[in-house]
Amino acid sequence: RVLLDNKIFSLGKVTVSTVGISKMIQRLADDEPRLNLAISLHAPTQSKRQSIMPAAEADPLPKLVTALDYYVEKRQAISFHSKKKTKSTFTYD
């Protein structure tokens, strides 16, 4: 907020990147709907996400998708990022 309140950055140019904490995504949608959002899923399935990032157990993909739907209703499209260059399809398991 300090960077935004002091007009150091333009709101439309700031992107918040997250691994997918549902509660905070919904809060961001309510508090700062002008920010852009990027999600790093780390893996195409919930089980692989959890093996890479144990904290993903608290935010399974269905819960994350609900939060992302809420964000899109309030804001706009979301960017998804992956470090791997291989083709993946993100699914629920």
Side-chain angles (χ1 to χ4, degrees):
R1 289 185 187 266
V2 170
L3 296 174
L4 299 175
D5 289 344
N6 290 323
K7 297 182 178 23
I8 294 171
F9 294 105
S10 169
L11 282 172
K13 306 268 185 198
V14 175
T15 299
V16 174
S17 182
T18 178
V19 296
I21 302 170
S22 302
K23 180 174 78 173
M24 300 311 287
I25 291 170
Q26 291 175 324
R27 183 173 169 190
L28 181 65
D30 290 333
D31 291 351
E32 282 298 343
R34 297 166 291 172
L35 294 174
N36 299 308
L37 181 64
I39 302 292
S40 297
L41 291 178
H42 291 84
T45 65
Q46 182 62 25
S47 58
K48 286 185 182 181
R49 275 183 83 223
Q50 284 179 223
S51 70
I52 295 168
M53 184 181 64
E57 185 175 355
D59 281 294
L61 286 174
K63 185 177 176 183
L64 177 57
V65 168
T66 299
L68 296 175
D69 284 343
Y70 182 80
Y71 185 87
V72 168
E73 286 178 22
K74 293 269 189 167
R75 176 63 174 113
Q76 64 179 347
I78 298 166
S79 300
F80 290 88
H81 299 274
S82 174
K83 287 189 174 191
K84 289 190 173 190
K85 299 293 182 189
T86 59
K87 183 178 178 182
S88 295
T89 302
F90 290 88
T91 59
Y92 302 119
D93 57 27

